[in-house]
Amino acid sequence: MDALILLGSFAVLIMVRMPVAYALGLSALIGAWYIDIPFDAVMIQIAGGINKFSLLAIPFFVLAGAIMAEGGMSRRLVAFAGVLVGFVRGGLSLVNIMASTFFGAISGSSLADTASVGSVLIPEMEKKGYPREFSTAVTVSGSVQALLTPPSHNSVLYSLAAGGTVSIASLFVAGIGPGLLLSAVMMTLCLIFAKKRNYPKGEVIPLKQALKICVEAMWGLMTMVIILGGILSGIFTATESAAIAVVWAFFVTMFIYRDYKWRDLPKLMHRTVRTLSIVMILIAFAASFGYIMTLMQIPSKITTAFLTLSDNRYVILMCINFMLLALGTLMDMAPLILILTPILMPVITGIGVDPVHFGMIMLVNLGIGLITPPVGAVLFVGAAIGKVSIESTVKALLPFYAALFMVLMAVTYIPAISLWLPNLVL
């Protein structure tokens, strides 16, 4: 009955379209009232939920990504990807995926990835003869890897929701394998379509121009080197690397590229703070929700239910995958990570799954949800930028959904994809 009161009140508040953050906080208060817990205890959890040093990584990484996104980085990365793969048949679709790979490793955000790369490449692909629906589908599906590769904001949230038992550095390094696998599968699918549909070849860029493009892009790509290199070498922590990434992004944007106006910086800061305020409110209320769930022993009850269903880890992982895929289409990614991680952590540790590995499984699942109706935020952004309907975009996405599901199965059942690199370098 406890679980029904807490989860039922949350579901009702969501159905009446209350913002997720406030629904979490209010349902936590309802649950506290039902089990006779003082509201003061809930308020302490709300304050404590955001009083964590590791959370500083989120605003710094968001700000670094925003500076690079608006400072001309996406255009230079698209040009750099064009040097590498733009000359083959269907080259612009490959450029799209590769540019998303590069930019995702700087922004850590699928929305930023779709908006930045899509605004440059979708019109260009249409101009070269690619269907606009296909161009939008490539952009949207390729952006999922930004959730995996460092500096993924969602990896930081997963580490927080796991109670700090999983290090951010381990998650960052673990995301490289699945992220590259996803990009490779997407590029292979694009090559198949290019041959089947006879998409145009690109032109080979002259050496002198190619060198200039590479030099300009390398300034931005150094952000990845700074973040990962600093963490792996032990020079600084993941949180400190985020602050250094901001300094580097500011330096490159304002003094190297010089495409961004100084007078626009206050507006950028304002947009970043608005985004972060929403995220931090969500984290704070999710902490109180998780506290009440723990007092009601909901995680242990769900663990028992899963283990009663089957004692086979592969069957349990498949059930969890289907649950995450379904929920990912109905809610945004951040609240799901904060709500489900404390619930599922006892389940996956009980069946012997590494929490770092499970983090990658969760990110891939919920990433697919971001590009799937009815709530897929990245899908809506991509369709708006591509100026195509949601229906036609989803139809063009069908083969990409199949490819993403194959990646999900590989990441789920081959732990080495996620764990080999952390085991090697950490």
Side-chain angles (χ1 to χ4, degrees):
M1 188 61 183
D2 293 350
L4 181 61
I5 293 296
L6 180 68
L7 300 179
S9 61
F10 175 70
V12 170
L13 292 171
I14 290 295
M15 285 190 287
V16 299
R17 298 188 176 276
M18 178 176 284
V20 174
Y22 299 125
L24 284 170
L26 187 54
S27 57
L29 289 175
I30 294 172
W33 167 78
Y34 184 78
I35 61 175
D36 199 24
I37 296 295
F39 286 172
D40 290 354
V42 178
M43 298 305 154
I44 290 171
Q45 293 299 318
I46 290 173
I50 54 176
N51 188 23
K52 292 180 173 65
F53 178 75
S54 59
L55 278 179
L56 285 173
I58 295 178
F60 282 131
F61 279 135
V62 169
L63 179 57
I67 292 172
M68 298 300 279
E70 298 190 25
M73 186 66 242
S74 57
R75 176 170 53 82
R76 289 172 172 84
L77 288 177
V78 166
F80 178 61
V83 171
L84 299 179
V85 295
F87 54 88
V88 301
R89 184 168 299 283
L92 269 182
S93 60
L94 303 184
V95 169
N96 195 319
I97 299 295
M98 186 168 285
S100 289
T101 302
F102 292 145
F103 191 74
I106 292 171
S107 70
S109 166
S110 287
L111 279 173
D113 194 329
T114 298
S116 298
V117 175
S119 60
V120 176
L121 272 177
I122 291 176
E124 185 65 22
M125 290 178 71
E126 183 185 32
K127 190 187 302 182
K128 297 294 184 181
Y130 295 81
R132 187 169 275 267
E133 293 81 2
F134 174 77
S135 305
T136 304
V138 171
T139 304
V140 167
S141 59
S143 69
V144 174
Q145 58 79 38
L147 304 168
L148 303 169
T149 52
S152 169
H153 315 147
N154 294 286
S155 292
V156 179
L157 287 179
Y158 175 78
S159 175
L160 169 72
T165 58
V166 185
S167 75
I168 297 173
S170 297
L171 292 168
F172 277 4
V173 177
I176 294 174
L180 292 178
L181 173 65
L182 192 152
S183 296
V185 170
M186 292 292 105
M187 292 178 76
T188 302
L189 185 60
C190 287
L191 284 172
I192 293 172
F193 277 126
K195 185 175 181 180
K196 183 178 178 181
R197 300 174 181 176
N198 198 30
Y199 287 147
K201 283 186 176 182
E203 298 178 357
V204 177
I205 298 175
L207 180 60
K208 185 177 179 180
Q209 184 181 350
L211 289 174
K212 181 182 178 183
I213 290 171
C214 292
V215 170
E216 287 191 347
M218 287 305 156
W219 286 103
L221 292 173
M222 277 295 294
T223 310
M224 293 186 294
V225 178
I226 291 170
I227 293 170
L228 276 181
I231 294 172
L232 297 180
S233 64
I235 296 174
F236 40 72
T237 66
T239 304
E240 292 164 347
S241 74
I244 293 169
V246 170
V247 175
W248 178 256
F250 180 80
F251 171 74
V252 171
T253 298
M254 304 309 295
F255 296 101
I256 303 297
Y257 294 158
R258 292 183 290 185
D259 288 349
Y260 202 71
K261 302 291 191 297
W262 286 88
R263 65 173 179 270
D264 293 332
L265 277 176
K267 295 178 182 178
L268 183 147
M269 294 294 294
H270 179 256
R271 288 193 296 272
T272 302
V273 169
R274 286 188 61 185
T275 300
L276 290 171
S277 63
I278 297 170
V279 173
M280 300 308 282
I281 290 171
L282 175 61
I283 292 171
F285 286 138
S288 65
F289 189 83
Y291 170 68
I292 300 299
M293 278 199 308
T294 303
L295 293 179
M296 292 179 172
Q297 299 182 334
I298 292 175
S300 62
K301 292 174 183 176
I302 291 178
T303 300
T304 302
F306 269 109
L307 295 179
T308 302
L309 180 68
S310 174
D311 58 359
N312 187 311
R313 74 159 68 180
Y314 302 111
V315 174
I316 293 175
L317 282 174
M318 183 60 72
C319 292
I320 290 174
N321 274 330
F322 284 136
M323 181 184 73
L324 291 174
L325 284 171
L327 291 174
T329 65
L330 301 174
M331 282 181 65
D332 284 336
M333 188 171 193
L336 282 174
I337 291 174
L338 293 168
I339 295 168
L340 294 178
T341 301
I343 294 175
L344 295 176
M345 191 61 69
V347 178
I348 61 103
T349 53
I351 60 176
V353 175
D354 190 292
V356 174
H357 174 211
F358 182 68
M360 297 302 107
I361 295 173
M362 177 174 274
L363 292 181
V364 175
N365 270 296
L366 300 183
I368 295 173
L370 285 178
I371 64 170
T372 307
V375 181
V378 175
L379 171 65
F380 295 143
V381 170
I385 292 172
K387 297 178 182 178
V388 292
S389 67
I390 298 295
E391 293 78 8
S392 58
T393 303
V394 170
K395 184 177 179 181
L397 272 169
L398 291 177
F400 293 94
Y401 286 136
L404 285 167
F405 186 76
M406 290 171 54
V407 172
L408 173 61
M409 291 298 99
V411 171
T412 299
Y413 294 116
I414 308 176
I417 295 174
S418 303
L419 299 178
W420 72 273
L421 194 53
N423 292 337
L424 181 67
V425 301
L426 295 176

